[in-house]
Amino acid sequence: MRKKWLLSSMALGFAVTMAACTTGGSTDEDSSEANENEEGGNEEQASDKILLLNNGNEPVSLDPQIAFEAVSSAPLNNIMEGLARLGPDHTPEPATAESWDISDDGLTFTFHIRDDANWSNGDPVTAEDFEYAWKRLVDPDTGSSAAFLADLIEGATEFSEGEGSVEEVKVTALDEKTLEVVLTSPQQYFLSLITNPSFFPVHKETVEANADWHTEADTYISNGPFALSGWDHNSELRMTRNNEYWDSDNVALDGATWFMIDDAMTAYQLFDQGGLHSTAPPADMAEQLIADGEVDLYDQAGTYFYRFLVTEEPFQNKKIRQAFAKAVNRESIVDHVIKQNQEPASAFVSNGFTEPSGEDFRDVGGDYFEMDVEEARSLLEEGMAEENYEELPPVTLSYSSGSNDHQRIAETLQQMYKENLDVDVELEVVESSVFLDRQRGLEMQMSRSSFIADYADPINFLESFITDSSMNRTGWSNEEYDRLIEESRMEGNEESRFKLLHEAEAILLDEMPFFPLYFYNQPVLENESVSGVVRHPVGYIELKWADIEQ
């Protein structure tokens, strides 16, 4: 049974002290200035309902069109809001838009923005704010990693690739509160797609006046349930209820504080002492905590995997890639290394995506490979013969700092390759601040990675590996695969579209520019006084409906 406590001033002080000691902290002067909520919130009092969470790390950015990773999107999802929001049942529901119309051909969406939808400074949220933000997302000058999410919008791909103009992007403010969007094909997942933070609006006047508006609390303008009231970089981020939010009367929390504690054991100790309402269990303790009923397990649509750089030796050879995949005991990694009830993955697309027939996409597609040491050895031998290798070129496995799980998995893989393939693999730990840049620059031979779905459709997983995708990061390219993904984007018949996606995944798992390890879940330690926190399988944590019993 999880403990129930009321947060005291002593516990809050402990939380702040621990966060400062472990993540860099800030001066008292900085903290007092950051605690002032001048835009749409209330000054925090000891009796306020302030939810204490661990974000793990500093957000990379709170600019909606730049942020494209969980440490940024989780807090961003609560200070900003799109036209639609994922509800407690994980399906899109009206948000900043009170309603929308869809044309008979399914190509044109007309959104009607609420009259009482305001920014945290009191300005009305307008259709022009959305038009400006969505075109900014696909503007080549923005350089957004999430620009591909807008490919479904007519003219967006051409503009983002420098082959079209901004005027040809079919996102148009018809008047102050009406936005029209024209799609390239009638895809049913569009409403789910636009709940992603990349499609949140921005306050046009603020963005044009100050390029750094999103870097500090006192310049941040938002339209979500909460307003950014303080930000001690690399230490904590504070938000308070946004009184200008259209549905603020139904927001129970007075605010939330997101600590940035990258060590899971430190965060757990803080939780155990009453300094956090919620955190993830440390890997060393997860198995016992789960067995004791202390952990809530939530679904999450995502995959942990390792990428191969196919443009460099020895992973230009498909059989060698397959050998390295089939030599791995994924069940052992899940059961003995991570120990948080994840499911070993033998494909890329996770569970949780419903076919037109009502079946799960993963059940229909099935497994594509399994551990087979003898076959792995044969494949390695054949691949080396094809490349005229007498010895396998050196292999370096790279993983990012900041997570004991990453290190444990890398060390386990190193041991498995030695035992199963008689291959010595070097390990390289790369600072998390530069890891993605190096991976995107195709600088790592074999590197850990993860994918958490951005919206509720299998194509979101599979489009990551089309040629030149910013998410590919392997150097792999396959014309047939690209064709299948493109055809699926244009296919309006759902049965035909899902068939194309299955064909594409089969090619991907045969070519194997990566290999999957396990499908994610969300193990959470949460105090019993907390209720109403929604954790979406596809999407981010929602605090709009959260409450704390006092």
Side-chain angles (χ1 to χ4, degrees), residues 62 78 121 164 267-269 292 330 366 381 401 429 443 450 457 460 476 494 502 509 511 536:
L62 290 183
N78 293 283
N121 66 352
Y268 173 74
Q269 292 170 347
D292 291 344
R330 298 179 309 288
E381 183 178 342
S401 64
V429 57
E443 298 175 15
S450 61
D457 195 87
N460 185 216
W476 181 72
E494 284 293 274
H502 282 298
L509 269 296
E511 286 284 311
H536 300 297

Side-chain angles (χ1 to χ4, degrees), residues 196-380:
N196 185 278
S198 299
F199 292 93
F200 290 169
V202 292
H203 188 257
K204 180 180 179 182
E205 182 180 345
T206 296
V207 176
E208 291 183 335
N210 177 14
D212 296 322
W213 67 277
H214 56 91
T215 63
E216 302 294 341
D218 60 1
T219 56
Y220 200 92
I221 307 296
S222 63
N223 76 318
F226 300 91
L228 189 61
S229 57
W231 190 354
D232 302 338
H233 292 283
N234 296 304
S235 177
E236 66 180 70
L237 183 150
R238 296 176 295 281
M239 54 182 67
T240 52
R241 186 193 296 117
N242 178 10
N243 293 330
E244 292 290 343
Y245 179 57
W246 65 270
D247 199 24
S248 63
D249 288 346
N250 290 314
V251 178
L253 293 177
D254 294 297
T257 297
W258 303 69
F259 296 111
M260 303 167 194
I261 307 169
D262 63 3
D263 181 76
M265 182 58 72
T266 301
Y268 173 74
Q269 292 170 347
L270 193 54
F271 170 83
D272 196 49
Q273 293 294 322
L276 282 174
H277 287 102
S278 180
T279 192
D284 290 343
M285 301 178 65
E287 186 176 23
Q288 188 60 53
L289 289 169
I290 291 172
D292 291 344
E294 298 287 329
V295 177
D296 294 320
L297 293 171
Y298 297 89
D299 293 333
Q300 186 165 42
T303 308
Y304 190 106
F305 61 102
Y306 261 81
R307 301 177 191 266
F308 296 116
L309 185 57
V310 305
T311 56
E312 300 289 340
E313 295 185 313
F315 297 123
Q316 81 282 4
N317 186 280
K318 182 175 78 171
K319 290 181 179 177
I320 294 177
R321 299 196 298 268
Q322 291 173 332
F324 270 67
K326 291 175 180 286
V328 173
N329 188 332
R330 298 179 309 288
E331 288 80 2
S332 178
I333 290 175
V334 166
D335 293 341
H336 304 298
V337 180
I338 306 302
K339 298 181 287 189
Q340 295 183 20
N341 285 22
Q342 293 92 345
E343 180 183 346
S346 296
F348 189 46
V349 179
S350 71
N351 301 293
F353 300 99
T354 305
E355 299 253 352
S357 64
E359 298 173 275
D360 190 278
F361 181 91
R362 186 69 281 125
D363 292 337
V364 174
D367 296 336
Y368 284 101
F369 74 103
E370 60 184 5
M371 179 186 179
D372 188 325
V373 174
E374 291 304 316
E375 184 181 5
R377 290 172 178 169
S378 295
L379 286 166
L380 180 62

Side-chain angles (χ1 to χ4, degrees), residues 79-97:
I79 54 178
M80 288 287 197
E81 182 177 81
L83 295 166
R85 174 182 288 276
L86 294 179
D89 65 350
H90 313 306
T91 61
E93 65 180 26
T96 301

Side-chain angles (χ1 to χ4, degrees), residues 175-195:
D175 57 40
E176 187 177 80
K177 292 289 186 176
T178 309
L179 184 77
E180 181 184 84
V181 184
V182 181
L183 308 184
T184 57
S185 62
Q187 300 299 342
Q188 297 180 14
Y189 61 83
F190 180 65
L191 289 174
S192 178
L193 172 67
I194 62 172
T195 65

Side-chain angles (χ1 to χ4, degrees), residues 27-232:
T27 65
D28 290 339
E29 181 179 359
D30 290 340
S31 296
S32 64
E33 290 177 357
N35 269 318
E36 297 175 6
N37 179 25
E38 300 175 355
E39 306 282 3
N42 300 317
E43 188 174 329
E44 293 180 14
Q45 303 294 329
S47 62
D48 284 350
K49 295 180 179 180
I50 307 298
L51 190 66
L52 304 179
L53 303 164
N54 181 26
N55 200 48
N57 296 100
E58 168 85 354
V60 175
S61 176
L62 290 183
D63 181 336
Q65 279 73 63
I66 298 298
F68 198 47
E69 69 293 310
V71 293
S72 299
S73 296
L76 184 61
N77 193 51
N78 293 283
I79 54 178
M80 288 287 197
E81 182 177 81
L83 295 166
R85 174 182 288 276
L86 294 179
D89 65 350
H90 313 306
T91 61
E93 65 180 26
T96 301
E98 62 183 353
S99 64
W100 48 79
D101 304 313
I102 306 174
S103 62
D104 291 341
D105 62 6
L107 295 177
T108 302
F109 284 68
T110 305
F111 295 93
H112 306 285
I113 297 171
R114 299 175 188 274
D115 289 336
D116 56 352
N118 292 329
W119 291 101
S120 53
N121 66 352
D123 289 350
V125 178
T126 68
E128 185 180 11
D129 291 325
F130 277 96
E131 178 184 347
Y132 176 75
W134 290 18
K135 289 181 175 179
R136 182 172 177 261
L137 171 65
V138 296
D139 191 328
D141 292 338
T142 302
S144 174
S145 298
F148 72 95
L149 293 178
D151 285 350
L152 196 56
I153 298 172
E154 187 173 328
T157 303
E158 292 79 4
F159 179 48
S160 66
E161 294 178 351
E163 299 174 358
S165 68
V166 67
E167 291 79 17
E168 295 172 307
V169 179
K170 298 300 183 181
V171 179
T172 308
L174 300 181
D175 57 40
E176 187 177 80
K177 292 289 186 176
T178 309
L179 184 77
E180 181 184 84
V181 184
V182 181
L183 308 184
T184 57
S185 62
Q187 300 299 342
Q188 297 180 14
Y189 61 83
F190 180 65
L191 289 174
S192 178
L193 172 67
I194 62 172
T195 65
N196 185 278
S198 299
F199 292 93
F200 290 169
V202 292
H203 188 257
K204 180 180 179 182
E205 182 180 345
T206 296
V207 176
E208 291 183 335
N210 177 14
D212 296 322
W213 67 277
H214 56 91
T215 63
E216 302 294 341
D218 60 1
T219 56
Y220 200 92
I221 307 296
S222 63
N223 76 318
F226 300 91
L228 189 61
S229 57
W231 190 354
D232 302 338

Side-chain angles (χ1 to χ4, degrees), residues 391-435:
E391 292 185 4
L392 190 72
V395 173
T396 299
L397 183 155
S398 303
Y399 64 95
S400 53
S401 64
S403 170
N404 290 333
D405 286 350
H406 297 335
Q407 179 179 340
R408 290 190 182 97
I409 290 172
E411 291 171 348
T412 302
L413 290 174
Q414 182 185 48
Q415 181 180 357
M416 288 179 178
Y417 289 136
K418 180 61 178 176
E419 292 177 354
N420 296 336
L421 295 179
D422 195 25
V423 171
D424 292 311
V425 172
E426 294 294 322
L427 300 186
E428 176 191 33
V429 57
V430 179
E431 285 298 320
S432 58
S433 59
V434 299
F435 183 85

